[in-house]
Amino acid sequence: MTEDRDPRTLSRRAVLGAAGAGAAGAALFPGTALADPGVTLWRQPGPAGAPDVHGVHLQFGADASREVVVSWSTPESVARPRVLFGRPGGEFGREVAADTVTYRDAASGTEVVIHHARLDQLRPDTEYGYAALHEGTTPIPGFFRTAPRGRAPFTFTSFGDQGTPTMGKLSASGAWVNDNLGSPAGADTVTGIERIAPLFHLVNGDLCYANISTDRIRTWSDWFLNNSRSTRFRPWMPAAGNHENELGNGPIGYGAYQSYFAVPSNNGDSETLGLWYAFTAGSVRVISLNNDDVCYQDGGNSYVRGYSGGAQKRWLERELATARADENVDWVVVVMHQVVISTADRFNGADRGIREEWVPLFDAYGVDLVVCGHEHHYERSHPIRGASPTDTLTPVPVATDLSTVDTSKGTVHMVIGGGGTSAPSNALFFEPAACRVITGVGPVGPNGKRPPVYVQESAPWSAFRDKEHPYGFAAFEVDPGTHAGGPTTMTVTYYAVAGPFGTLTPVDRFTLVRPRRDGGR
Ligand SMILES: [Fe+2]
Ligand SMILES: [Fe+2]
């Protein structure tokens, strides 16, 4: 019978077999091979069928116009994980086998199996349809668009600090509660992103806070489940935050993060695989950094400041030099987690470690834009260049126009940390604007953490703060401009998000402008 060769049919029958429902099964599927079940049933991956294709998510390769990785996870090994793909309207003409990686969560002892199928030699600015599958399960379809090559318009979005909208802990009172700093807003923001339907989304760290949750595996699973209605249509390109640092997972603590994501290689060692990377979309070079390497703050499960031994900084300088020598790259955008600027009181604050290590490089190579999270609100700086000779290395604003910013004069920093947590910081702003900067840490205290040493500074660099809305994201519309050496712009809109349908309210809108790099400048 032909239906016996259909893996979906077979797995349904396997379920019936496992329930011992021979007679009932025969009634449900009259005339099927249930009268002769033996071989067919025992060929199935498990008595209850194969696990689902869980949490499908996409990543761009280093060249976003040519390469996309399709990823999903399973709780056990599966047979022939693969992706079929092709152009819409055509057939699934190509098949790519997935590479499988695993990690064993140190807290639970549970192993997670993650499959990454690398689709390459794609056409730029082209839509593809695909199906992710393994033996015995229902294929999960999706589609994506590759980035344009060269100077072309497109839109990307950004937020950090999301958590999950689900409940993972049974409290002492017998009620289920969220235990990853999440809230229902962490679902609303995803719906909001889909209203914009960007080419890609930057995730500015603190993805799901698995490191503080009861069940890390459930928390990651819930995060991908909540987000896959977006992540299977457009890459979410992450930066690792302090809450991706999970005690016992991998040599530095990012083993889960490094397993779930297949981001472009940084040509480093396996220990730091995926913790920093870069990709190009159109005329934009995006650089993702992991700031725990340089931050003073003791914010993860373990204190890992200096873990790369300077390797990340050396890579960053090479990467910036290469980007700025490339006349096809107009914009250099950095996505990272902890911040150079924040005007929130009684929250994390800014970290002098980033001002010491990264900001001089951002200045030297003219980084246009930095998006980050860690602070759970929205604010942005004026363009900054250089530092005052203060204890905190206070950034110096080079212009104060709120609506149009020339980023060839200074770097704009945006804090976009309202991705959905239950602990927003938009009601904590200093009045007038000021900044608490972590300039060091004290000895390890009774809670096992190094307490931060704060120095407060005035904030002449502060440009805009959203006190009103706890949740939202920013959208960046890249306009390449019309002629060599002429202006190119990014129109930036910060949207507040509210409600289950992701209702958007524009809160802040401004234009970044800089000269194109194909004019000999
Ligand atoms: Fe956070
Ligand atoms: Fe954080």
Side-chain angles (χ1 to χ4, degrees), residues 161 204-206 209 241-244 292 297 299 337-338 347-348 373-376:
D161 305 82
N204 313 341
D206 283 3
Y209 298 81
N242 54 304
H243 284 284
E244 276 64 69
D292 288 296
Q297 189 179 25
H337 183 60
Q338 294 93 332
F347 216 67
N348 294 298
H374 200 48
E375 304 289 88
H376 297 169

Side-chain angles (χ1 to χ4, degrees), residues 127 143 203 280 297 413 448:
E127 192 162 79
F143 58 82
V203 194
T280 300
Q297 189 179 25
H413 287 249

